[in-house]
Amino acid sequence: CWFYFTHQIDRFLMPVLPVLGIICGYTFSRLKDEKVMGGIIKTVLIAALIFNIYVFNLIICGLNPWGVALGYETEDDFLSRNLQVYNAFKYLNKNLAGNDRVLIVGEARIHYIKVPFLSNTVLDQSLLETIIQPGDSLEKIRQNFKDRGITHILINWFEWERLNKTYSYMSEFNWKLFRSEEHTSELQSH
């Protein structure tokens, strides 16, 4: 029922799958010996298995993890090739001090960042929108960042575009502050 009140993404149905599996297994065990229904059920199960193997291979082959698994490619090369934000995280991990803190915008895959950070998912209230309110002066914005200990901002524009199209993520936010060199240099100077 909650599925219909959310964004209706397939992964939100995952908690239901074990229950469906038990129900399907029970139904199959009761009907497998019947001639017509048993044949239909076996055909559907075989078709579903073939389809799932096909889809799984499409996903895995697209990522091509076999080089890492077989030792032909390093994990670092694999992640650089498949996770567009990985190189930015590598840079931040290498170049930021322990007292620095990054605000990550438009990116929820944060497993590889080792420095202190703040982030939110598309389903949460945007931290950037809470820090920068319409009509705030640059001084107030600087103070809001300072109060949260934020020294750097990482924006994944590609992911933000996707989230904006799918969820209207931060669609009403005034991005001029980050797109204008004048404002960016004023924020950086403090």
Side-chain angles (χ1 to χ4, degrees):
C1 177
W2 86 97
F3 178 73
Y4 294 103
F5 297 107
T6 64
H7 291 282
Q8 297 183 4
I9 299 172
D10 295 346
R11 70 174 178 256
F12 291 161
L13 288 174
M14 294 298 272
V16 177
L17 292 181
V19 175
L20 288 176
I22 291 169
I23 292 169
C24 289
Y26 176 77
T27 304
F28 176 70
S29 69
R30 302 282 284 173
L31 297 175
K32 70 178 178 182
D33 295 329
E34 292 186 25
K35 196 166 190 116
V36 174
M37 279 307 281
I40 291 172
I41 289 174
K42 287 176 185 173
T43 303
V44 168
L45 284 174
I46 290 170
L49 180 64
I50 290 169
F51 175 77
N52 283 314
I53 289 170
Y54 173 74
V55 169
F56 177 76
N57 277 321
L58 277 179
I59 293 168
I60 291 299
C61 289
L63 294 176
N64 193 14
W66 307 119
V68 175
L70 298 172
Y72 298 119
E73 181 179 34
T74 67
E75 181 182 352
D76 192 60
D77 290 340
F78 172 79
L79 290 169
S80 294
R81 186 170 44 83
N82 289 294
L83 184 62
Q84 64 183 195
V85 75
Y86 180 72
N87 287 327
F89 285 169
K90 243 175 42 172
Y91 176 84
L92 294 172
N93 292 337
K94 182 179 177 183
N95 294 297
L96 295 188
N99 58 344
D100 289 326
R101 180 186 256 177
V102 181
L103 174 62
I104 301 173
V105 178
E107 182 60 59
R109 298 165 297 178
I110 51 175
H111 314 293
Y112 298 101
I113 189 161
K114 306 296 183 216
V115 296
F117 68 91
L118 294 172
S119 72
N120 56 271
T121 68
V122 69
L123 303 176
D124 302 322
Q125 183 177 9
S126 165
L127 292 171
L128 191 59
E129 287 179 308
T130 60
I131 293 170
I132 301 175
Q133 297 291 316
D136 280 353
S137 67
L138 286 177
E139 192 54 46
K140 172 78 170 132
I141 294 169
R142 272 191 225 102
Q143 189 59 46
N144 289 344
F145 281 117
K146 188 175 182 180
D147 291 346
R148 289 166 177 80
I150 297 169
T151 58
H152 296 77
I153 302 171
L154 173 67
I155 301 173
N156 183 341
W157 291 109
F158 296 109
E159 185 66 5
W160 176 83
E161 293 264 340
R162 185 188 73 79
L163 295 173
N164 186 30
K165 287 177 186 169
T166 307
Y167 302 99
S168 297
Y169 179 66
M170 296 181 69
S171 60
E172 297 188 20
F173 185 73
N174 183 358
W175 288 103
K176 279 192 226 173
L177 184 66
F178 294 96
R179 302 269 186 178
S180 160
E181 288 211 19
E182 172 191 342
H183 291 312
T184 306
S185 63
E186 285 182 45
L187 278 173
Q188 289 174 349
S189 67
H190 297 281

